[in-house]
Amino acid sequence: MASETQSISGTLKRRGLMFVLSSPSGAGKTTISRKLLDADSAIRMSVSVTTRPIRPGEVDGKDYHFTDRATFDRKVENGEFLEWAEVFGNCYGTPVAQIAQGLEQGQDFLFDIDWQGTQQLSQRMRDDVVPVFLLPPSVEELRRRLTTRGTDSAEVIAGRMARAQSEISHWDGYDYVIVNDDVETCFAKVREILAAERMRRVRQNGLIGFVRELMKSDA
Ligand code: 5GP
């Protein structure tokens, strides 16, 4: 009966997931994140708190919640972060409030966080985290992407390369690693991972009841 079918499928609520995209700068993470948010209305960006100064074009509350060091430290002490880390001299943290309730309601979140944050999330909420790492296709391409202006000095470029290489060294803390040699191919892979992860048994809260119904011999 139709009404019975509806009541069974109605129990199949899914728990949300935490989709983490990490990469060194120059591997195309920002482009992939934007494309994903545009293409998939079921995933929302987790907006971090940071002590880094706001950059031109950034919007407070959308790109980050910008704050000062004293306020950040107080939030750490009050346990307001799911994870936090110091990255290249600035502090970044994921506010706990928006996430916990969202996951419960089936909301997926996209995280642009570094390897330290990914490690903390994985330790705290392993079943909820889908950690994905993007790699640049080659050293030459990485250098090209990190050379933003013809005026960048050799020293500035060497500094960016060293940072990128130190971030790359944490690739093995991730379940998925994608070499981003073509944006569209990389994006397609990201979407495939997300689609498959949404179907994991652990995320399908109502399965036990649903399967019991299917197994009823008198149905
Ligand atoms: P940017 O200052 O360029 O926006 O970000 C610098 C680095 O900080 C990036 O690698 C980014 O992934 C990382 N990051 C941004 N927000 C967070 C956060 O909430 N937690 C952690 N652990 N890293 C973050």
Side-chain angles (χ1 to χ4, degrees):
M1 263 161 56
S3 61
E4 247 174 347
T5 312
Q6 275 163 12
S7 75
I8 292 169
S9 60
T11 64
L12 277 179
K13 292 242 168 56
R14 183 175 68 80
R15 180 169 170 80
L17 54 78
M18 304 164 90
F19 198 76
V20 177
L21 267 188
S22 298
S23 80
S25 65
K29 179 179 54 179
T30 312
T31 310
I32 299 290
S33 297
R34 287 209 184 111
K35 282 173 78 69
L36 186 58
L37 292 168
D38 281 350
D40 189 333
S41 60
I43 192 162
R44 200 193 306 159
M45 193 77 202
S46 161
V47 182
S48 300
V49 177
T50 184
T51 60
R52 159 166 88 56
I54 191 164
R55 291 180 188 144
E58 285 184 329
V59 179
D60 190 12
K62 181 170 171 279
D63 296 291
Y64 283 106
H65 300 288
F66 294 93
T67 192
D68 55 68
R69 183 66 197 246
T71 310
F72 191 94
D73 289 346
R74 206 168 47 244
K75 286 178 186 290
V76 171
E77 269 168 38
N78 292 343
E80 290 180 41
F81 293 128
L82 259 184
E83 62 76 34
W84 71 273
E86 193 168 328
V87 187
F88 307 127
N90 295 302
C91 291
Y92 298 84
T94 300
V96 75
Q98 58 184 356
I99 308 295
Q101 201 187 1
L103 290 177
E104 199 66 34
Q105 292 166 349
Q107 174 69 52
D108 297 326
F109 292 96
L110 175 62
F111 290 76
D112 171 347
I113 61 175
D114 81 329
W115 66 273
Q116 304 173 83
T118 308
Q119 202 174 55
Q120 292 170 50
L121 285 190
S122 297
Q123 277 162 6
R124 287 183 73 164
M125 307 172 80
R126 188 67 192 96
D127 281 348
D128 292 321
V129 181
V130 180
V132 182
F133 198 79
L134 304 185
L135 287 172
S138 66
V139 181
E140 294 75 34
E141 179 59 16
L142 180 64
R143 182 171 289 111
R144 198 188 65 74
R145 291 181 191 174
L146 292 180
T147 310
T148 47
R149 281 174 299 246
T151 52
D152 285 339
S153 70
E155 206 181 334
V156 166
I157 296 170
R160 288 188 196 139
M161 285 296 285
R163 271 187 197 187
Q165 281 160 339
S166 114
E167 288 170 74
I168 287 171
S169 73
H170 300 286
W171 67 282
D172 60 351
Y174 291 76
D175 289 348
Y176 299 93
V177 179
I178 308 174
V179 178
N180 183 10
D181 48 5
D182 173 76
V183 173
E184 290 307 327
T185 312
C186 178
F187 180 53
K189 288 177 181 171
V190 163
R191 295 200 76 183
E192 281 168 21
I193 294 168
L194 181 54
E197 287 285 345
R198 281 177 169 153
M199 289 185 273
R200 267 190 190 270
R201 178 164 51 85
V202 289
R203 307 218 157 89
Q204 301 195 47
N205 289 334
L207 265 189
I208 293 177
F210 179 66
V211 172
R212 276 199 189 129
E213 281 296 322
L214 290 178
M215 290 168 66
K216 268 189 188 165
S217 54
D218 59 346

